[in-house]
Amino acid sequence: MLRDNMTETTCTARATANIAFIKYWGKRGDGSINLPLNPSISMTLDEGLAATTTVHLAEQNGEDELWLNGKREEMRGGAASEKSRYIQRTLDHMRALARDQRHAVVVSENSFPTGSGLASSAAGGAALVVALDSALKLGLSGEAMSVIARTISGSACRSLFGGIVKWQAGAREDGTDSYSVQVAAPGHWPELMDIIAVVDASKKKVSSSEGHMATAKTGVLMRERIGFAEEGTARAVDAVMRRDFGALAETIMRDSNSLHAVMLDTWPPIIYLNDASKEIIEAVHEMNGHEGRNIAAYTFDAGPNAHIITTEADRQRVLDMLRGIKGVRSIIESRQGGGPRVIEDPAARLGKPA
Ligand code: PMV
C-alpha cells in the first residue's frame, strides 16, 4: 500500500521464502556483497512462509529505525548484527538512487510458524527491497531489485520472483551480473510442493554467513562441488522444463548430500544434520525404492529440518512416511508462491510497536 503526502510516504510489501534445489554455499571475494561461487536454483514458497515489511519515509529529523518482529534492531556500530548493517547499507543505497534523503522507519514481521527454526532472511530481504522501490518510486526491474536483495542475504535474490528461479553466479567483482531470473512461473508445474518436517526448532550453531566463508576458505571438496553445482543447475532447469519429477528428485537429493559433504569437509567441520534428519534421508530412499520411482526428494539447508519436495499426487504418502518418524515435531506444507507483491490493503500496513 502506498500512502503519500508531501513529506511522508508509507508502503508495505510481502515476499516469501524459497527452498533451493541446487544450493548456494560458499562466497567469492571478501563476502561483503554475497557473491556466490556457484549458480543455484530454487522454488519460491507460498505466503505461509512470508515476511511483510512496511517502510515509512518522513522528512523530520530523526534516525533510521529497524523493527524486526516487534524488536528494535541497531543498524550501525558495534551492537549491529551483520544483517542489520546490510539493511542500513541497502537503505542508503536505494535512497541515493532516488535522491531522497528522508529517514526511514522499517517494520518487518514474519508469518513463519513461531518456534519452527526456519530461516526468514530471504523473505525479509526481498520484501524490504520491494517496499523501498515502491516508496521511493524507483520502478526498478526485477533483476535490478534482485542484485540489491542479494547484498542483504544471498538467497534473498531468488525470492524476487515466483515459481522456479535461477540465481546466475556472475563473474564481475561488483556483482552487477549476479542476480536471479525466473525459470518457470508456478502455473508451469503447479503440482510441485514442499513438505517441511521440523525436527529441531533451535537457532543454528553456525550462521550461514560464517559457514559460507569457512567452507570457501578451508574446504577441499568445495573445488569439486562448484562444477557439480553448475551441472546440477542445468540438469534441474532441464527437468523442470520437461516436468520430469524422477530426474529432478535425484538432482535435488544429490545436491543436498553434496552440500552437507562440503560442510563436513570444512575445517573445523560444520554439521547441521541430526539423527532425525538422517532417518528421514533413509526413509525417503526406502519409500522411493518401494515405489520403484522417485516420488519425493529430501533437501536440507543450514539446519536439520527436512524439506521434502514432492507432487500433490504423492502428498499423502509423504505425510504418512513423516508421521512414522519419531523425531518429527511438526509438519508445514507449502505450495509454490507467485513472488513478492506490494500490498494495497491499508489494514495490512505495519506500525512500529507502541
Ligand atoms: O542466504 P544465506 O546466506 O542465508 O545462505 C543460504 C544458504 C542455504 O540455505 C544453505 C542454501 C540456499 O541456497 O538457500
Side-chain angles (χ1 to χ4, degrees), residues 126-175:
L128 173 68
V129 174
V130 173
L132 275 171
D133 175 71
S134 182
L136 293 164
K137 298 194 179 67
L138 280 165
L140 296 174
S141 67
E143 278 83 5
M145 286 194 273
S146 177
V147 167
I148 299 173
R150 192 205 69 235
T151 66
I152 300 175
S153 176
S155 55
C157 81
R158 296 187 308 239
S159 279
L160 255 298
F161 303 95
I164 308 298
V165 178
K166 179 184 157 182
W167 173 9
Q168 50 189 49
R172 293 188 203 136
E173 270 174 37
D174 67 1

Side-chain angles (χ1 to χ4, degrees), residues 42-197:
S42 60
M43 177 169 90
T44 297
L45 300 177
D46 68 26
E47 291 199 355
L49 297 166
T52 303
T53 302
T54 293
V55 171
H56 180 74
L57 298 171
E59 203 122 88
Q60 67 266 32
N61 284 335
E63 53 178 15
D64 295 328
E65 290 179 33
L66 173 64
W67 295 80
L68 296 182
N69 294 313
K71 195 171 154 277
R72 174 113 192 238
E73 303 281 338
E74 292 300 326
M75 287 197 283
R76 291 187 197 274
S81 69
E82 185 183 83
K83 284 273 143 60
S84 303
R85 282 188 282 112
Y86 288 177
I87 288 172
Q88 179 73 62
R89 183 176 66 183
T90 302
L91 268 173
D92 294 342
H93 173 61
M94 292 182 78
R95 272 189 303 223
L97 284 180
R99 296 196 174 81
D100 188 326
Q101 292 313 315
R102 289 177 291 173
H103 82 267
V105 177
V106 176
V107 184
S108 188
E109 266 162 33
N110 297 328
S111 73
F112 286 65
T114 37
S116 66
L118 295 172
S120 58
S121 62
L128 173 68
V129 174
V130 173
L132 275 171
D133 175 71
S134 182
L136 293 164
K137 298 194 179 67
L138 280 165
L140 296 174
S141 67
E143 278 83 5
M145 286 194 273
S146 177
V147 167
I148 299 173
R150 192 205 69 235
T151 66
I152 300 175
S153 176
S155 55
C157 81
R158 296 187 308 239
S159 279
L160 255 298
F161 303 95
I164 308 298
V165 178
K166 179 184 157 182
W167 173 9
Q168 50 189 49
R172 293 188 203 136
E173 270 174 37
D174 67 1
T176 46
D177 58 351
S178 183
Y179 55 83
S180 295
V181 293
Q182 187 181 57
V183 171
H188 169 71
W189 198 355
E191 297 83 7
L192 268 190
M193 63 180 296
D194 180 12
I195 301 179
I196 306 166

Side-chain angles (χ1 to χ4, degrees), residues 18-27 34 38 40-42 82-83 119 121-122 150 152-158 167 204 207-210 212 225 255 259-260 263 272 300-303:
N18 65 77
I19 178 65
F21 294 169
I22 302 294
K23 311 289 192 187
Y24 148 56
W25 195 254
K27 297 181 195 182
N34 302 326
N38 59 264
S40 55
I41 179 164
S42 60
E82 185 183 83
K83 284 273 143 60
S121 62
R150 192 205 69 235
I152 300 175
S153 176
S155 55
C157 81
R158 296 187 308 239
W167 173 9
K204 47 194 168 197
S207 73
S208 53
S209 188
E210 293 165 271
H212 282 293
R225 172 165 167 75
D255 188 75
L259 171 75
H260 291 275
M263 286 167 164
Y272 289 117
F300 298 84
D301 285 336

Side-chain angles (χ1 to χ4, degrees), residues 4-5 9 57 122 196 246 296 314:
D4 220 357
N5 58 38
T9 310
L57 298 171
I196 306 166
D314 294 306

